[in-house]
Structure formats: C-alpha cells, structure tokens
Amino acid sequence: GAVVSQHPSRVICKSGTSVKIECRSLDFQATTMFWYRQFPKQSLMLMATSNEGSKATYEQGVEKDKFLINHASLTLSTLTVTSAHPEDSSFYICSARDPAAINTGELFFGEGSRLTVL
Amino acid sequence: QQQVKQSPQSLIVQKGGISIINCAYENTAFDYFPWYQQFPGKGPALLIAIRPDVSEKKEGRFTISFNKSAKQFSLHIMDSQPGDSATYFCAASSYGGYQKVTFGTGTKLQVIP
C-alpha cells in the first residue's frame, strides 16, 4: 500500500515555542491530506483538511492561528503548532488518499508525531 | 451531527475466541464503512472495509456484518490471537472523492493466551 511518512515521531519543546511537523506521501501524490489529533485512549479528531496550493479547511473549534497548515507540494504538508502550551501536548497524525486507490476510499496514515510541551 | 458510536470501549478475549465490536451511525449519506487497527504509538492502518450494497464481507479471520436498515455494522475477529491486541476504530464517510472520515470512539482489544 501507499506510504505516508511523518517527522518527527517525537518532539519535546518548551512552552511558547513553535513546532513544525511534516507529512510526506512517499510513493504517490496527494492533493489532499488530513490532520488528526488524538488524546490518550481517545479517538481521532479531524483538525483540518490540507489542500495542495490552497488554504486548509479547519474543523469547527480548531484555531487556525494556532495550528498552521501548509500544503506547498503534492507530497508534503506541514502542521506548525505556534506558541505551544502544555495543553497542545498530543499525538498528531496525518493521512492521505492515494489517487490510484481512490476507488477503495482507503486512508493511509503516517506513524504519528508525539508532541510534549513542557 | 455526523457521529459514529462504537462499543464496547474495551474487550478482553481468550486466545482462539471471537472478538465482536459494534458500531452505529446516524448519517444515511454514509456509504463507506472501514475498520482501522492501531497499535500503541503508531498510526492507524486499514483492516477491512464495506460498502452498503453488501451485508457481509470477509477477509481471512476478519468479517464485517452490515445492517443498513438498522444503521449498524460490526467487526468479528475469529480465532483471536494475542497479536490482534490493539485498538480498533470503526469509521464512516460519504465516499465520493475526498470526503472526510468520521471515526468511532475506539475499542481496546486484549487477547489473552
């Protein structure tokens, strides 16, 4: 199946700093990628839909200025957590659909990035 | 509101037994129902999926049963193995391009030897 890579897998930062998480589709081009947030023992909550070459679409309640999403190319989307605070600590996961597998509807997920804000 | 309700929250099954996880949805526009498996510290991976034109789909030890009229679907894991221990999420979407996927709350399955 298609491969989605996330980096870094773990990041620890001080409160007030910004952190960037990268999501890459390694063997396919993704015009759309999705960013999820997952709290311990909870489900995946969609944060935003990242569209290549245009602005991201944010879900209700997600702060656009806090979580900056950039989808500059067909294989790369980035999530920047700005002025991070301890409550932003979470597991962030990106996903994408492979156009070649569009008939299956399958989402391919990255390995996730564990953010800890001290 | 697009919700997918999942139960149970956790499940302990003896090795060789059958694990059953249930989900219910509200939005009749949903037409794609996948199940994802997630191991600790990893992203989810597609396990099996079904569309509403069939009532059952089987892949190896994994079977989805789908009841369109009741708006319910379930995952059955036959001959459960310790390696199946993971968190399972049901999901639903209005497939048709890049429609977003709504996930259930997850079921943590533990298969004991």
Side-chain angles (χ1 to χ4, degrees), chain A residues 65-111:
Chain A
D65 296 332
K66 160 70 79 175
F67 300 101
L68 299 179
I69 291 174
N70 183 274
H71 196 150
S73 76
L74 287 171
T75 59
L76 174 64
S77 176
T78 60
L79 168 67
T80 301
V81 183
T82 63
S83 186
H85 289 91
E87 58 266 29
D88 298 324
S89 298
S90 190
F91 193 52
Y92 294 88
I93 315 173
C94 69
S95 70
R97 285 196 177 97
D98 181 355
I102 194 68
N103 288 333
T104 70
E106 180 175 359
L107 275 177
F108 296 93
F109 285 87
E111 291 285 277

Side-chain angles (χ1 to χ4, degrees), chain A residues 35-83:
Chain A
W35 286 96
Y36 292 85
R37 182 174 182 177
Q38 186 177 34
F39 291 104
K41 300 181 180 180
Q42 293 192 25
S43 188
L44 292 85
M45 300 301 297
L46 181 64
M47 299 175 63
T49 301
S50 172
N51 304 298
E52 187 269 335
S54 64
K55 292 182 179 180
T57 304
Y58 290 81
E59 294 300 300
Q60 189 174 8
V62 177
E63 299 178 60
K64 301 178 183 181
D65 296 332
K66 160 70 79 175
F67 300 101
L68 299 179
I69 291 174
N70 183 274
H71 196 150
S73 76
L74 287 171
T75 59
L76 174 64
S77 176
T78 60
L79 168 67
T80 301
V81 183
T82 63
S83 186

Side-chain angles (χ1 to χ4, degrees), chain B residues 12-104:
Chain B
I12 299 176
V13 173
Q14 203 88 28
K15 178 182 176 181
I18 302 173
S19 303
I20 302 174
I21 305 171
N22 300 299
C23 284
Y25 63 97
E26 299 174 354
N27 188 344
T28 55
F30 286 147
D31 58 6
Y32 175 68
F33 303 90
W35 285 88
Y36 284 86
Q37 180 187 56
Q38 184 181 31
F39 292 102
K42 301 294 183 182
L46 179 68
L47 190 63
I48 186 173
I50 196 169
R51 299 192 187 279
D53 52 341
V54 295
S55 60
E56 185 176 282
K57 183 174 181 180
K58 183 176 181 180
E59 290 184 1
R61 297 185 292 111
F62 302 92
T63 300
I64 299 179
S65 297
F66 185 81
N67 186 329
K68 188 175 181 179
S69 61
K71 291 187 287 186
Q72 296 175 345
F73 59 110
S74 60
L75 175 69
H76 291 63
I77 305 175
M78 312 299 288
D79 187 26
S80 299
Q81 299 297 312
D84 297 329
S85 297
T87 299
Y88 293 81
F89 293 96
C90 63
S93 73
S94 304
Y95 173 71
Y98 295 97
Q99 297 301 312
K100 62 184 180 182
V101 176
T102 300
F103 285 86

